[in-house]
Amino acid sequence: MLIKKKPLWDKFSHSDITPESVYLQRRQLVKKLGLLGTGALLTTPAQAGLWDLFSNEKSNTAFKQSSLNFEQQTEYNKWIYGESTPEAKVISHNNFYEFGTSKTDPIEHAQSFKVNPWQLRIEGEVERPLVLDYDTLFSLFPLQERIYNFRCVEAWSMVIPWIGFSLADILKKAGVTSKATHVAFETLYDPNQMPGQKNRFVGGGIDYPYVEGLTLAEAMTDLTFLSVGLYGKTLPPQNGAPIRLVVPWKYGFKSIKSVVRIKVMDRQPPTSWNRLAPSEYGFYANVNPNVDHPRWSQATERRIGQGGLFSAKRINTLPFNGYGDIVGPLYKGLNLKVNF
Ligand SMILES: Nc1nc2c(c(=O)[nH]1)N[C@H]1C(S)=C(S)[C@@H](COP(=O)(O)O)O[C@H]1N2
Ligand SMILES: [Mo]
């Protein structure tokens, strides 16, 4: 399912792979993770997950690996997803309109962006509002690595090793009330630091602060991630330091950067791109190869970092960016062409 880069799965789905080689691969991975000699291999969810991985191509267990430690999970993720987009691309080809609309503006103009001190507020329909300072962002929950495919609405994609924790963890800590139906997010508003907020031309016409939103069910899904780092380090400013949302089954614009406010709501909040161009960008923005953008096809994507800018590899785009077996049930009965 959610496997974007396929070296591992390709090996195991080809008919010329014998059961013995599958078995050896599994032994090798289990050994790499240091799980040999720990006793019964199938007694913990993590180990059962590993077993599933090799017995059923469709199973995705990366997010059930709670009993793996950080190093084990990193190793495991590499095996599932293959290698990530080169770090140099991930930090230099960005959308962050607060710093300008070209892909190279953020790395050029965000370097002096002050991310510490920082305050992230969790408020609205919650039992216990929270205000988290910079250090707390990194210490509140154990940090996990998640290698996710990331698909921009502009039909390019990368595979990025994020560091962070599930949004659900923080929402559970704050305790959402029974009135909650949606979650709204807001980026820092500081025109002195962000030239795009000062000047409509630089900022692409967005009405700042940049805002985003999810349904409560989407927000509570374990896939929905708050990232504080990538490639094992804190986030560079151009990628949304010190903390940004990552919603891997939705177009990239939902993954709002440099978040200062998470507000649990009793209704659907407005979102920046939808406000700017409602016929082009919907509230849901689920990756969908069958619903084209009015001005271009969404059937394929250019995988950044594979083959250079002009010869870059084009691959097929998958429904929900490949995460359909996890999040598809959230949209049962919803017309995805109308609710794009
Ligand atoms: N505040 C804010 N968040 C934002 C954006 C932005 O312009 N401002 N751009 C979005 C878009 S369109 C994309 S594709 C991703 C890009 O994330 P990356 O630069 O880390 O790859 O950030 C999203 N989050
Ligand atoms: Mo995007």
Side-chain angles (χ1 to χ4, degrees), residues 177-254:
T177 73
S178 58
K179 287 194 200 149
T181 62
H182 289 78
V183 182
F185 305 84
E186 194 175 304
T187 295
L188 179 72
Y189 182 72
D190 187 352
N192 287 330
Q193 290 203 76
M194 295 169 148
Q197 294 180 337
K198 218 173 211 163
N199 177 323
R200 269 186 86 76
F201 183 72
V202 176
I206 287 177
D207 191 9
Y208 291 104
Y210 193 106
V211 288
E212 258 306 334
L214 298 171
T215 67
L216 186 63
E218 291 172 337
M220 286 304 215
T221 295
D222 186 49
L223 265 184
T224 306
F225 206 55
L226 282 172
S227 169
V228 295
L230 51 80
Y231 273 99
K233 291 166 270 189
T234 53
L235 286 176
Q238 62 271 27
N239 292 88
I243 187 163
R244 59 92 56 86
L245 188 67
V246 181
V247 196
W249 74 95
K250 293 177 179 284
Y251 292 122
F253 64 85
K254 299 294 288 184

Coordinates of all heavy atoms in Angstrom, one line a residue, residues 177-254:
T177 N -12.9 18.2 23.7 CA -14.2 18.1 24.2 C -15.2 17.4 23.3 O -14.9 17.2 22.1 CB -14.8 19.5 24.5 OG1 -15.2 20.1 23.3 CG2 -13.8 20.4 25.3
S178 N -16.4 17.2 23.8 CA -17.4 16.5 22.9 C -17.9 17.3 21.8 O -18.5 16.8 20.9 CB -18.5 16.0 23.8 OG -19.1 17.1 24.5
K179 N -17.6 18.6 21.9 CA -18.1 19.5 20.8 C -17.2 19.5 19.6 O -17.5 20.1 18.5 CB -18.2 21.0 21.3 CG -19.3 21.2 22.2 CD -19.5 22.8 22.4 CE -20.2 23.1 23.6 NZ -19.8 24.4 24.2
A180 N -16.0 19.0 19.8 CA -14.9 19.1 18.7 C -15.3 18.4 17.5 O -15.7 17.2 17.5 CB -13.6 18.6 19.3
T181 N -15.1 19.0 16.3 CA -15.3 18.4 15.0 C -14.1 18.6 14.1 O -13.9 17.8 13.1 CB -16.6 18.9 14.3 OG1 -16.4 20.3 14.0 CG2 -17.8 18.7 15.1
H182 N -13.4 19.6 14.3 CA -12.3 20.0 13.4 C -11.1 20.5 14.2 O -11.2 20.9 15.4 CB -12.7 21.1 12.4 CG -13.6 20.6 11.3 ND1 -15.0 20.4 11.6 CD2 -13.5 20.2 10.0 CE1 -15.6 20.0 10.5 NE2 -14.7 19.8 9.5
V183 N -9.9 20.6 13.5 CA -8.8 21.2 14.2 C -8.2 22.2 13.2 O -8.0 21.9 12.0 CB -7.7 20.2 14.5 CG1 -6.5 20.8 15.2 CG2 -8.3 19.1 15.4
A184 N -7.9 23.4 13.7 CA -7.4 24.5 12.9 C -5.9 24.8 13.3 O -5.5 24.6 14.4 CB -8.2 25.8 13.1
F185 N -5.1 25.2 12.3 CA -3.7 25.5 12.5 C -3.3 26.8 12.0 O -3.9 27.3 11.0 CB -2.9 24.4 11.8 CG -3.2 23.0 12.1 CD1 -4.3 22.4 11.5 CD2 -2.5 22.3 13.1 CE1 -4.6 21.1 11.8 CE2 -2.8 21.0 13.4 CZ -3.9 20.4 12.8
E186 N -2.4 27.5 12.6 CA -2.0 28.8 12.2 C -0.5 29.0 12.3 O 0.2 28.6 13.2 CB -2.6 29.8 13.2 CG -2.6 31.2 12.7 CD -3.4 32.1 13.7 OE1 -4.6 31.8 13.9 OE2 -2.8 33.1 14.2
T187 N 0.1 29.5 11.2 CA 1.5 29.8 11.2 C 1.8 31.2 11.9 O 0.9 32.0 11.9 CB 2.0 29.9 9.7 OG1 1.8 28.6 9.1 CG2 3.4 30.4 9.5
L188 N 3.0 31.3 12.3 CA 3.4 32.6 12.9 C 3.1 33.8 12.0 O 3.3 33.7 10.8 CB 4.9 32.6 13.2 CG 5.5 33.9 13.8 CD1 5.1 34.0 15.2 CD2 7.0 33.9 13.7
Y189 N 2.6 34.9 12.6 CA 2.5 36.1 11.8 C 3.5 37.1 12.3 O 3.4 37.6 13.5 CB 1.0 36.7 12.0 CG 0.8 37.9 11.2 CD1 0.7 37.8 9.8 CD2 0.7 39.2 11.8 CE1 0.5 39.0 9.0 CE2 0.5 40.3 11.0 CZ 0.4 40.2 9.7 OH 0.2 41.3 8.9
D190 N 4.5 37.4 11.5 CA 5.5 38.3 11.9 C 6.1 39.0 10.7 O 7.2 38.5 10.2 CB 6.6 37.6 12.7 CG 7.6 38.5 13.3 OD1 7.6 39.7 13.0 OD2 8.5 38.0 14.1
P191 N 5.4 40.0 10.2 CA 5.9 40.6 8.9 C 7.3 41.1 8.9 O 7.9 41.2 7.9 CB 4.9 41.8 8.7 CG 3.7 41.4 9.6 CD 4.2 40.6 10.7
N192 N 7.8 41.4 10.1 CA 9.2 41.9 10.2 C 10.2 40.8 9.8 O 11.3 41.1 9.3 CB 9.5 42.5 11.5 CG 8.8 43.8 11.7 OD1 8.6 44.6 10.8 ND2 8.4 44.1 13.0
Q193 N 9.8 39.6 10.1 CA 10.7 38.5 9.7 C 10.3 37.8 8.4 O 11.1 37.2 7.8 CB 10.6 37.4 10.8 CG 11.2 37.8 12.2 CD 11.5 36.5 12.9 OE1 12.5 35.8 12.6 NE2 10.7 36.2 13.9
M194 N 9.0 38.0 8.0 CA 8.6 37.3 6.8 C 8.1 38.3 5.8 O 7.0 38.8 5.8 CB 7.4 36.4 7.2 CG 7.8 35.3 8.2 SD 6.4 34.4 8.9 CE 7.0 32.8 9.1
P195 N 9.0 38.5 4.8 CA 8.8 39.6 3.8 C 7.5 39.3 3.0 O 6.8 40.3 2.6 CB 10.0 39.5 2.9 CG 10.7 38.2 3.2 CD 10.3 37.9 4.6
G196 N 7.1 38.1 2.9 CA 5.8 37.8 2.1 C 4.6 38.3 2.8 O 3.6 38.5 2.2
Q197 N 4.7 38.4 4.2 CA 3.5 38.9 4.9 C 3.4 40.5 4.9 O 2.4 41.0 5.2 CB 3.6 38.5 6.4 CG 3.5 37.0 6.5 CD 3.6 36.5 8.0 OE1 4.2 37.2 8.8 NE2 3.1 35.3 8.2
K198 N 4.5 41.1 4.5 CA 4.6 42.5 4.4 C 4.1 43.0 3.0 O 3.5 44.1 2.9 CB 6.0 43.0 4.6 CG 6.1 44.3 5.4 CD 7.6 44.5 5.8 CE 7.7 45.2 7.1 NZ 9.1 45.2 7.6
N199 N 4.3 42.2 2.0 CA 4.2 42.6 0.7 C 3.4 41.6 -0.1 O 3.9 40.4 -0.3 CB 5.6 42.8 0.1 CG 5.6 43.2 -1.4 OD1 4.7 42.8 -2.2 ND2 6.5 44.1 -1.7
R200 N 2.2 41.9 -0.6 CA 1.3 40.9 -1.2 C 2.0 40.3 -2.4 O 1.7 39.1 -2.8 CB 0.0 41.6 -1.7 CG -1.1 41.6 -0.7 CD -2.4 42.2 -1.3 NE -3.2 41.2 -2.0 CZ -3.9 40.3 -1.5 NH1 -3.9 40.1 -0.2 NH2 -4.6 39.4 -2.2
F201 N 2.8 41.0 -3.1 CA 3.5 40.5 -4.3 C 4.5 39.4 -4.0 O 4.5 38.4 -4.5 CB 4.1 41.7 -5.1 CG 4.7 41.2 -6.4 CD1 3.9 40.9 -7.5 CD2 6.1 41.1 -6.5 CE1 4.5 40.4 -8.7 CE2 6.7 40.7 -7.7 CZ 5.9 40.3 -8.8
V202 N 5.3 39.7 -2.9 CA 6.3 38.7 -2.5 C 5.6 37.5 -1.9 O 6.0 36.4 -2.1 CB 7.2 39.4 -1.4 CG1 8.2 38.3 -0.8 CG2 8.0 40.5 -1.9
G203 N 4.4 37.7 -1.2 CA 3.8 36.6 -0.5 C 2.7 35.8 -1.3 O 2.0 35.0 -0.8
G204 N 2.7 36.1 -2.6 CA 1.8 35.3 -3.5 C 0.3 35.6 -3.3 O -0.5 34.8 -3.7
G205 N 0.0 36.7 -2.7 CA -1.5 37.1 -2.5 C -2.2 36.4 -1.4 O -3.4 36.6 -1.3
I206 N -1.5 35.6 -0.6 CA -2.2 34.9 0.5 C -2.5 35.9 1.6 O -1.7 36.8 1.8 CB -1.3 33.7 1.0 CG1 -1.4 32.6 0.0 CG2 -1.8 33.3 2.4 CD1 -0.5 31.4 0.4
D207 N -3.7 35.7 2.2 CA -4.1 36.6 3.3 C -3.5 36.0 4.6 O -4.0 35.0 5.1 CB -5.6 36.6 3.3 CG -6.2 37.6 4.3 OD1 -5.4 38.5 4.8 OD2 -7.4 37.6 4.5
Y208 N -2.4 36.5 5.1 CA -1.7 35.9 6.2 C -2.3 36.3 7.6 O -3.0 37.3 7.6 CB -0.2 36.4 6.2 CG 0.5 35.7 5.0 CD1 0.8 36.5 3.9 CD2 0.9 34.4 5.0 CE1 1.4 35.9 2.8 CE2 1.5 33.8 4.0 CZ 1.8 34.6 2.8 OH 2.4 34.0 1.8
P209 N -2.2 35.5 8.6 CA -1.3 34.3 8.7 C -1.9 33.1 7.9 O -3.1 33.0 7.7 CB -1.3 33.9 10.2 CG -2.6 34.5 10.7 CD -2.9 35.7 9.9
Y210 N -1.0 32.3 7.4 CA -1.3 31.1 6.7 C -2.1 30.2 7.7 O -1.7 30.0 8.8 CB 0.0 30.4 6.3 CG -0.1 29.2 5.3 CD1 0.3 29.4 4.0 CD2 -0.5 27.9 5.7 CE1 0.3 28.3 3.1 CE2 -0.5 26.9 4.8 CZ -0.1 27.1 3.5 OH -0.1 26.0 2.6
V211 N -3.3 29.7 7.3 CA -4.1 28.8 8.2 C -4.4 27.5 7.4 O -4.5 27.5 6.2 CB -5.4 29.5 8.6 CG1 -5.1 30.6 9.6 CG2 -6.1 30.1 7.4
E212 N -4.6 26.5 8.2 CA -5.0 25.2 7.6 C -6.0 24.5 8.6 O -6.2 25.0 9.7 CB -3.8 24.3 7.4 CG -3.3 24.3 5.9 CD -4.5 23.9 5.0 OE1 -5.4 23.2 5.4 OE2 -4.5 24.3 3.8
G213 N -6.5 23.4 8.1 CA -7.5 22.7 9.0 C -7.6 21.2 8.6 O -7.4 20.9 7.4
L214 N -8.1 20.4 9.5 CA -8.4 19.0 9.3 C -9.7 18.7 10.0 O -10.1 19.4 11.0 CB -7.3 18.1 9.9 CG -5.8 18.2 9.4 CD1 -4.9 17.5 10.3 CD2 -5.7 17.8 8.0
T215 N -10.3 17.6 9.6 CA -11.4 17.1 10.5 C -10.8 16.5 11.7 O -9.6 16.1 11.7 CB -12.3 16.0 9.7 OG1 -11.4 14.9 9.6 CG2 -12.8 16.5 8.4
L216 N -11.6 16.3 12.7 CA -11.1 15.7 14.0 C -10.6 14.3 13.7 O -9.5 13.9 14.2 CB -12.1 15.7 15.1 CG -11.6 15.2 16.4 CD1 -10.5 16.2 17.0 CD2 -12.8 15.1 17.4
A217 N -11.3 13.5 12.9 CA -10.9 12.2 12.6 C -9.6 12.1 11.9 O -8.7 11.3 12.2 CB -12.0 11.5 11.8
E218 N -9.4 13.1 10.9 CA -8.1 13.1 10.3 C -7.0 13.5 11.2 O -5.9 12.9 11.2 CB -8.1 14.2 9.2 CG -9.0 13.8 8.0 CD -9.2 15.0 7.0 OE1 -9.1 16.2 7.4 OE2 -9.6 14.7 5.9
A219 N -7.3 14.4 12.1 CA -6.3 14.9 13.1 C -5.9 13.8 14.1 O -4.7 13.7 14.5 CB -6.8 16.1 13.8
M220 N -6.8 12.9 14.4 CA -6.6 11.8 15.3 C -5.9 10.6 14.7 O -5.5 9.7 15.5 CB -7.9 11.4 16.0 CG -8.4 12.5 17.0 SD -7.1 12.8 18.2 CE -8.1 13.1 19.6
T221 N -5.8 10.5 13.4 CA -5.2 9.4 12.8 C -3.7 9.4 13.0 O -3.0 10.5 12.9 CB -5.4 9.5 11.2 OG1 -6.8 9.3 11.0 CG2 -4.7 8.4 10.5
D222 N -3.1 8.3 13.4 CA -1.7 8.2 13.8 C -0.7 8.7 12.7 O 0.3 9.2 13.0 CB -1.4 6.8 14.2 CG 0.0 6.7 14.8 OD1 0.4 7.5 15.7 OD2 0.8 5.8 14.3
L223 N -1.1 8.6 11.5 CA -0.3 9.1 10.4 C 0.0 10.6 10.5 O 1.0 11.1 10.0 CB -1.0 8.9 9.0 CG -0.8 7.6 8.2 CD1 -1.5 7.8 6.9 CD2 0.7 7.4 7.9
T224 N -1.0 11.3 11.0 CA -0.9 12.8 11.0 C 0.2 13.2 12.0 O 0.1 12.9 13.2 CB -2.2 13.4 11.4 OG1 -3.2 12.9 10.4 CG2 -2.2 14.9 11.2
F225 N 1.2 13.9 11.6 CA 2.4 14.0 12.3 C 2.8 15.5 12.5 O 2.5 16.3 11.7 CB 3.5 13.4 11.4 CG 4.7 12.8 12.2 CD1 4.6 11.9 13.2 CD2 6.0 13.2 11.8 CE1 5.7 11.4 13.8 CE2 7.1 12.7 12.4 CZ 6.9 11.8 13.5
L226 N 3.3 15.7 13.7 CA 3.9 17.0 14.0 C 5.4 16.8 13.9 O 6.0 16.1 14.7 CB 3.5 17.6 15.3 CG 2.1 18.2 15.4 CD1 1.7 18.6 16.8 CD2 2.0 19.5 14.5
S227 N 6.1 17.5 13.0 CA 7.5 17.3 12.7 C 8.3 18.4 13.4 O 8.0 19.6 13.2 CB 7.8 17.2 11.2 OG 9.2 17.3 11.0
V228 N 9.4 18.0 14.1 CA 10.3 19.0 14.6 C 11.7 18.8 14.0 O 12.6 19.5 14.4 CB 10.4 18.9 16.2 CG1 9.1 19.3 16.8 CG2 10.8 17.5 16.6
G229 N 11.8 17.9 13.1 CA 13.1 17.6 12.5 C 13.0 16.8 11.2 O 12.0 16.3 10.8
L230 N 14.1 16.8 10.5 CA 14.2 15.9 9.3 C 15.7 15.5 9.2 O 16.6 16.2 9.7 CB 13.7 16.5 8.0 CG 14.1 17.8 7.5 CD1 15.4 17.8 6.8 CD2 13.0 18.3 6.6
Y231 N 15.9 14.3 8.6 CA 17.3 13.8 8.5 C 18.0 13.9 9.9 O 19.2 14.2 9.9 CB 18.1 14.5 7.4 CG 17.9 13.9 6.1 CD1 16.9 14.4 5.2 CD2 18.5 12.7 5.7 CE1 16.7 13.8 4.0 CE2 18.3 12.1 4.5 CZ 17.4 12.6 3.7 OH 17.2 12.0 2.5
G232 N 17.3 13.5 10.9 CA 18.0 13.4 12.2 C 18.3 14.7 12.9 O 18.9 14.7 14.0
K233 N 18.0 15.9 12.3 CA 18.3 17.2 12.9 C 17.1 18.0 13.1 O 16.0 17.7 12.5 CB 19.3 17.9 11.9 CG 20.6 17.2 11.9 CD 21.5 17.8 10.7 CE 21.2 16.9 9.5 NZ 22.1 17.2 8.3
T234 N 17.2 19.1 13.8 CA 16.0 20.0 13.9 C 15.7 20.5 12.5 O 16.5 20.6 11.6 CB 16.3 21.2 14.8 OG1 17.6 21.8 14.4 CG2 16.5 20.7 16.3
L235 N 14.4 20.9 12.3 CA 14.0 21.4 11.0 C 14.8 22.7 10.6 O 15.0 23.6 11.4 CB 12.5 21.8 11.1 CG 11.5 20.7 11.1 CD1 10.1 21.4 11.2 CD2 11.5 19.9 9.8
P236 N 15.3 22.7 9.4 CA 15.8 24.0 8.9 C 14.6 25.0 8.8 O 13.5 24.6 8.6 CB 16.3 23.7 7.5 CG 16.3 22.2 7.4 CD 15.3 21.7 8.3
P237 N 14.9 26.3 9.0 CA 13.8 27.3 8.9 C 12.9 27.2 7.7 O 11.7 27.3 7.7 CB 14.5 28.6 9.0 CG 15.9 28.4 8.9 CD 16.2 27.0 9.2
Q238 N 13.5 26.9 6.5 CA 12.8 26.8 5.3 C 11.8 25.6 5.2 O 10.9 25.6 4.4 CB 13.7 26.8 4.1 CG 14.7 25.6 4.0 CD 16.0 25.8 4.7 OE1 16.1 26.6 5.7 NE2 17.0 25.1 4.2
N239 N 12.0 24.6 6.1 CA 11.1 23.5 6.1 C 10.0 23.7 7.2 O 9.3 22.7 7.5 CB 11.8 22.2 6.3 CG 12.6 21.8 5.1 OD1 13.8 22.2 5.0 ND2 12.1 21.1 4.2
G240 N 10.0 24.8 7.9 CA 8.9 25.1 8.9 C 9.3 25.0 10.3 O 8.5 24.6 11.1
A241 N 10.6 25.3 10.6 CA 11.0 25.2 12.0 C 10.2 26.2 12.9 O 9.6 27.2 12.3 CB 12.5 25.6 12.1
P242 N 10.0 25.9 14.2 CA 10.5 24.7 14.9 C 9.6 23.5 14.8 O 10.0 22.4 15.1 CB 10.7 25.2 16.3 CG 9.5 26.2 16.5 CD 9.4 26.9 15.1
I243 N 8.3 23.8 14.4 CA 7.4 22.6 14.3 C 6.4 22.9 13.2 O 5.9 24.0 13.0 CB 6.7 22.5 15.7 CG1 5.8 21.2 15.8 CG2 5.9 23.7 16.1 CD1 5.5 20.7 17.1
R244 N 6.1 21.8 12.5 CA 5.2 21.9 11.3 C 4.4 20.6 11.2 O 4.8 19.6 11.7 CB 5.9 22.2 10.0 CG 7.0 21.2 9.6 CD 6.5 20.1 8.7 NE 5.9 20.5 7.5 CZ 6.5 20.8 6.3 NH1 7.8 20.7 6.3 NH2 5.8 21.1 5.2
L245 N 3.2 20.7 10.6 CA 2.4 19.6 10.4 C 2.8 18.8 9.2 O 3.4 19.4 8.2 CB 0.9 20.1 10.1 CG -0.2 19.1 10.1 CD1 -0.4 18.5 11.4 CD2 -1.5 19.8 9.6
V246 N 2.7 17.5 9.2 CA 2.9 16.6 8.0 C 1.7 15.7 7.9 O 1.4 14.9 8.7 CB 4.2 15.8 8.1 CG1 4.4 15.0 6.9 CG2 5.4 16.7 8.4
V247 N 1.0 15.9 6.8 CA -0.2 15.0 6.5 C 0.0 14.3 5.2 O -0.3 14.8 4.1 CB -1.5 15.9 6.4 CG1 -2.7 15.0 6.5 CG2 -1.5 17.0 7.5
P248 N 0.6 13.1 5.2 CA 1.2 12.6 4.0 C 0.2 12.1 2.9 O 0.7 11.9 1.8 CB 2.0 11.4 4.5 CG 1.4 11.0 5.8 CD 0.9 12.3 6.4
W249 N -1.0 12.0 3.2 CA -2.0 11.6 2.2 C -2.7 12.7 1.6 O -3.5 12.6 0.7 CB -3.0 10.6 2.8 CG -4.1 11.1 3.6 CD1 -5.3 11.5 3.3 CD2 -4.0 11.4 5.1 NE1 -6.1 12.0 4.4 CE2 -5.3 11.9 5.5 CE3 -3.0 11.2 6.0 CZ2 -5.5 12.2 6.8 CZ3 -3.3 11.5 7.4 CH2 -4.5 12.1 7.7
K250 N -2.3 14.0 2.0 CA -2.9 15.2 1.4 C -1.8 16.0 0.7 O -0.6 15.8 0.9 CB -3.5 16.0 2.5 CG -4.7 15.4 3.2 CD -5.2 16.2 4.3 CE -6.4 15.6 5.0 NZ -7.7 15.7 4.2
Y251 N -2.3 16.8 -0.3 CA -1.3 17.7 -1.0 C -0.6 18.5 0.1 O -1.1 18.9 1.1 CB -2.1 18.6 -2.0 CG -2.6 17.7 -3.1 CD1 -4.0 17.7 -3.4 CD2 -1.8 16.9 -3.9 CE1 -4.5 17.0 -4.5 CE2 -2.3 16.2 -4.9 CZ -3.6 16.2 -5.2 OH -4.1 15.4 -6.2
G252 N 0.7 18.9 -0.3 CA 1.6 19.5 0.6 C 1.1 20.7 1.3 O 1.6 21.1 2.4
F253 N 0.3 21.5 0.6 CA -0.1 22.8 1.2 C -0.9 22.6 2.5 O -1.0 23.5 3.3 CB -0.9 23.6 0.2 CG -2.3 23.1 -0.2 CD1 -3.4 23.3 0.5 CD2 -2.4 22.4 -1.4 CE1 -4.6 22.9 0.1 CE2 -3.6 22.0 -1.9 CZ -4.7 22.2 -1.1
K254 N -1.4 21.4 2.8 CA -2.1 21.1 4.1 C -1.0 21.0 5.2 O -1.4 21.2 6.4 CB -2.9 19.8 4.1 CG -4.0 19.7 3.0 CD -5.1 20.7 3.3 CE -6.0 20.3 4.5 NZ -7.1 21.2 4.6

